[in-house]
Amino acid sequence: MNSEKESAFRILSHRGGAVQPMFDAAPIGPLSPSSSLLVERRDLEPTSWQSHFLKEQLLHFFMKPAVIGYSLKDAAITKIPVAHGQAVFCPRREWHNIRWAERISVLSIRIPDSALMEAARERLAERSLEIVPRHVVTDDRLTHLLFALDAERARGYSTGKLFVDCIESALANILLTSFNTFAPRSIPSRGGMAPRVLRRVVEFMHANMDQQIGLKDLADCAGLSLSHFSFQFRASTNQSPHQYMLRLRIERSRELLANSRLSVLDVGLEVGFRNQQHFATVFRNSVGVPPSVYRTQL
């Protein structure tokens, strides 16, 4: 990955008189496959005070307890105790100062305004989008999503971009509904997609099973905005697009495993898994046995 392309996938802040990566230490593991939802995991050594200015919303998700020194620019310093599994909001478009006296382990997630505005479509006037940067957030939905995101990062994003896109959409909706200054209007109950539209989307999924398609690809196929598509797809299938695609991949892999000329790895790659280990894990969780064992039972 060249430096210009890599910078598009890094979380940047204005610090030290220039726009640069948020921290000096390199992220652990691979970068997010999305240029929208940026994800970086780090173990950081103690540091002196740092000043940051972020253009878009950032969450720091703590993987072990910590105490963070914090203040807005020129304001009083506050010590913030953070527990394992809690998140800290960093204010966007406002200078803030941070420091920590002990080693910390943190997952940093940048959620762009474009994702928030997509979640707010038809629910908020644009001027009403104002996320409140609470210091520490304890929210079971947020915690569940961020642990799942870190687990996917540790696997090398083997599920692909669709998973990350679905996480981004879910995070944006949580921020909008729980942490926005103005309460959003509720979304009217819908009966889901028209059968012909759902059929077109499922056919697209089948045809592109071995590709790393994103949520926007599916929404465009349906002729819907991202926000409409996510809600209507779940209403129609009772699953997220990512969950539904996993089910299609497992169904197709069961068919392909009957072909003894294909190795288990070949089958996994054919249905869109990036490595054999992740394919075997998802297959076992769905079917009850690993794909190699399933093949012997045919």
Side-chain angles (χ1 to χ4, degrees), residues 9-281:
F9 288 73
R10 293 294 302 274
I11 300 175
L12 305 176
S13 73
H14 195 291
R15 68 183 180 94
V19 176
Q20 54 185 310
M22 182 177 52
F23 297 118
D24 293 330
I28 299 170
L31 298 176
S32 167
S34 169
S35 59
S36 179
L37 187 74
L38 304 186
V39 183
E40 297 178 2
R41 170 75 183 267
R42 289 182 179 84
D43 293 330
L44 294 170
E45 299 299 330
T47 183
S48 56
W49 284 103
Q50 298 182 7
S51 294
H52 292 266
F53 182 91
L54 301 160
K55 295 181 68 175
E56 296 184 289
Q57 186 64 61
L58 187 75
L59 292 174
H60 289 307
F61 185 62
F62 283 80
M63 314 310 292
K64 63 181 183 180
V67 177
I68 304 299
Y70 172 84
S71 74
L72 293 177
K73 190 173 185 180
D74 300 327
I77 295 172
T78 302
K79 286 188 176 181
I80 305 174
V82 188
H84 171 244
Q86 287 186 318
V88 172
F89 275 61
C90 290
R92 70 205 221 283
R93 300 171 190 168
E94 192 168 4
W95 281 100
H96 63 281
N97 308 305
I98 55 172
R99 74 177 297 271
W100 49 94
E102 297 180 348
R103 199 166 190 255
I104 64 171
S105 182
V106 64
L107 186 74
S108 303
I109 306 99
R110 187 211 70 173
I111 305 170
D113 283 356
S114 58
L116 295 172
M117 287 309 305
E118 182 61 45
R121 188 174 295 190
E122 294 191 355
R123 302 181 70 183
L124 291 174
E126 184 171 354
R127 61 179 175 79
S128 300
L129 180 60
E130 186 179 337
I131 302 299
V132 180
R134 301 182 189 176
H135 285 167
V136 179
V137 178
T138 302
D139 184 294
D140 289 343
R141 300 166 303 162
L142 202 64
T143 298
H144 174 77
L145 287 172
L146 295 180
F147 272 131
L149 182 59
D150 186 52
E152 177 66 8
R153 178 205 57 80
R155 289 192 295 264
Y157 297 103
S158 54
T159 304
K161 189 173 182 298
L162 183 57
F163 175 85
V164 178
D165 287 350
C166 289
I167 291 287
E168 178 182 68
S169 178
L171 288 174
N173 274 283
I174 288 174
L175 295 185
L176 180 72
T177 54
S178 298
F179 303 104
N180 194 57
T181 302
F182 302 94
R185 296 189 295 268
S186 61
I187 295 179
S189 176
R190 296 184 176 93
M193 296 179 186
R196 60 180 176 80
V197 176
L198 180 60
R199 184 165 56 250
R200 184 167 69 242
V201 171
V202 173
E203 288 173 354
F204 180 85
M205 286 178 152
H206 274 289
N208 294 278
M209 192 174 294
D210 61 335
Q211 303 297 315
Q212 295 303 320
I213 60 175
L215 195 59
K216 187 176 186 303
D217 298 316
L218 299 178
D220 288 346
C221 178
L224 298 170
S225 68
L226 281 171
S227 54
H228 277 176
F229 174 77
S230 296
F231 282 109
Q232 291 198 12
F233 188 90
R234 184 176 285 277
S236 297
T237 66
N238 202 32
Q239 291 181 306
S240 72
H242 164 67
Q243 292 168 330
Y244 195 89
M245 177 63 97
L246 276 185
R247 182 166 69 82
L248 293 182
R249 285 173 167 160
I250 294 302
E251 289 174 356
R252 177 59 178 155
S253 69
R254 293 174 74 165
E255 297 172 2
L256 292 175
L257 285 168
N259 183 351
S260 60
R261 292 175 297 178
L262 294 173
S263 68
V264 171
L265 175 59
D266 289 336
V267 171
L269 294 175
E270 182 73 19
V271 298
F273 290 96
R274 293 186 173 183
N275 59 66
Q276 183 171 336
Q277 181 181 7
H278 188 230
F279 170 48
T281 299

